[in-house]
Amino acid sequence: MTDARIQELSTLCNTFRKEVLQAIHAIQSGHPGGSLSVCEILTVLYFEHMTVRPDAPEDPDQDRLVLTKGHAAPMLYRVLAEKGYFPVSEMDTLRRIDSNLQGHPSAHTRGIDMPSGPLGIGLGAAQGMALGMKLKGIDRYAYAVMGDGELDEGAVWETAMSAPKFKLNNLIAIVDRNHVQLDGTVDDIMPTEPLAEKWKSFGWNVIECDGHNVAALDAAISLAKTERTRPSVIIADTVKGKGVSFMEGKNTWHGKAISDEDLAKALEELGGAN
């Protein structure tokens, strides 16, 4: 990845952060913390690695993504809009009645491959997509973007156990490791360390990286694609509420309305409104 491309994607992420915060503020409802932490992950996937067709999302010959941490839907919507699935102006309808952009991903939204909301089910859905591609001879990838608090769910580890059996090297999971969940830190609620060793013990190819460094993410995903016999999991170290100092690392910003004052402070930190 060239320096120019790194700068381009980093600038795009800054724009996404500001506009997602503005959309959440407008409806006074949403999940800013997890949306901000997953920004670079989704941006690098859609703009560097995923083969997709916004003009024909039903075409089977393309990569698939499950945002299994569905509360971060605002960031996914903004990325999909930039990719051309629907107009950016639709972000103004976020969470409103009859909007295509509901609080969690819904199958009726263009570009959404799997509805999500109940935590723990997304990795299994992505596994099914990857297995289906194998059976049909489709040379594409299924991605599952998970939260680390979500790893408390037993269904995640059922999939972790079964995916290596089917040698699903076309399944790539990415853990948005922001260390915070709804009620507190992951370490306080349900410690998951040693996380990398857990995934390795289940037979996965494990890669760790800085989840806010677009070049590091690009390298990690590229490395995962070289695996030939196992599914891969990328543990991306991130910060809840990344980019806004008073949101960073705070579980109170998992889901919270944004006041006028807080929005002004956040936009100032991010370089001003667009």
Side-chain angles (χ1 to χ4, degrees):
M1 185 179 287
T2 65
D3 290 343
R5 185 59 170 163
I6 292 170
Q7 184 58 52
E8 182 182 1
L9 292 180
S10 297
T11 299
L12 203 56
C13 285
N14 194 60
T15 297
F16 291 164
R17 283 191 166 88
K18 290 186 285 187
E19 294 187 4
V20 162
L21 291 175
Q22 289 170 320
I24 293 173
H25 166 263
I27 192 61
Q28 285 294 286
S29 177
H31 297 81
S35 293
L36 297 184
S37 69
V38 81
C39 183
E40 283 80 7
I41 294 171
L42 293 176
T43 301
V44 172
L45 279 172
Y46 275 95
F47 290 92
E48 281 296 304
H49 285 278
M50 291 180 63
T51 298
V52 294
R53 288 196 58 191
D55 62 322
E58 70 284 353
D59 186 344
D61 188 19
Q62 56 188 308
D63 294 327
R64 300 294 175 180
L65 181 137
V66 180
L67 180 65
T68 182
K69 48 170 288 178
H71 51 277
M75 189 59 71
L76 176 58
Y77 295 152
R78 184 60 188 86
V79 171
L80 289 176
E82 191 73 18
K83 197 69 181 174
Y85 283 93
F86 45 82
V88 174
S89 60
E90 279 199 38
M91 289 298 295
D92 295 338
T93 73
L94 177 69
R95 280 181 168 255
R96 300 181 190 279
I97 293 175
D98 296 328
S99 171
N100 287 320
L101 310 182
Q102 290 301 309
H104 287 72
S106 170
H108 73 263
T109 303
R110 193 175 181 85
I112 298 298
D113 293 317
M114 169 71 186
S116 57
L119 295 174
I121 65 170
L123 183 60
Q127 174 183 257
M129 293 174 185
L131 183 56
M133 291 173 185
K134 287 275 191 182
L135 293 173
K136 294 178 179 179
I138 299 172
D139 188 20
R140 299 297 181 193
Y141 289 88
Y143 296 90
V145 178
M146 302 182 290
D148 51 357
E150 181 181 358
L151 302 185
D152 295 352
E153 299 286 349
V156 170
W157 299 104
E158 292 181 42
T159 304
M161 180 169 58
S162 59
K165 166 185 167 57
F166 299 109
K167 297 180 171 56
L168 297 180
N169 63 302
N170 62 335
L171 174 62
I172 299 177
I174 302 179
V175 179
D176 178 15
R177 184 79 165 109
N178 64 32
H179 307 276
V180 179
Q181 53 181 286
L182 175 62
D183 291 328
T185 67
V186 171
D187 286 344
D188 285 341
I189 303 301
M190 184 60 67
T192 53
E193 292 295 346
L195 186 57
E197 284 69 19
K198 282 186 172 76
W199 285 98
K200 288 176 184 176
S201 72
F202 277 81
W204 287 59
N205 174 38
V206 179
I207 302 165
E208 298 180 77
C209 74
D210 180 345
H212 294 305
N213 183 314
V214 295
L217 280 166
D218 175 60
I221 298 166
S222 295
L223 182 59
K225 287 181 171 180
T226 67
E227 175 59 45
R228 291 291 174 260
T229 61
R230 301 175 292 170
S232 294
V233 59
I234 298 169
I235 301 174
D237 191 52
T238 61
V239 177
K240 191 101 166 181
K242 176 67 175 179
V244 180
S245 62
F246 58 87
M247 293 184 182
E248 290 189 347
K250 304 291 198 323
N251 70 292
T252 50
W253 286 99
H254 175 83
K256 184 178 178 180
I258 302 173
S259 69
D260 293 348
E261 181 181 3
D262 284 338
L263 178 64
K265 290 178 182 177
L267 293 179
E268 182 180 3
E269 290 190 14
L270 292 168
N274 291 331

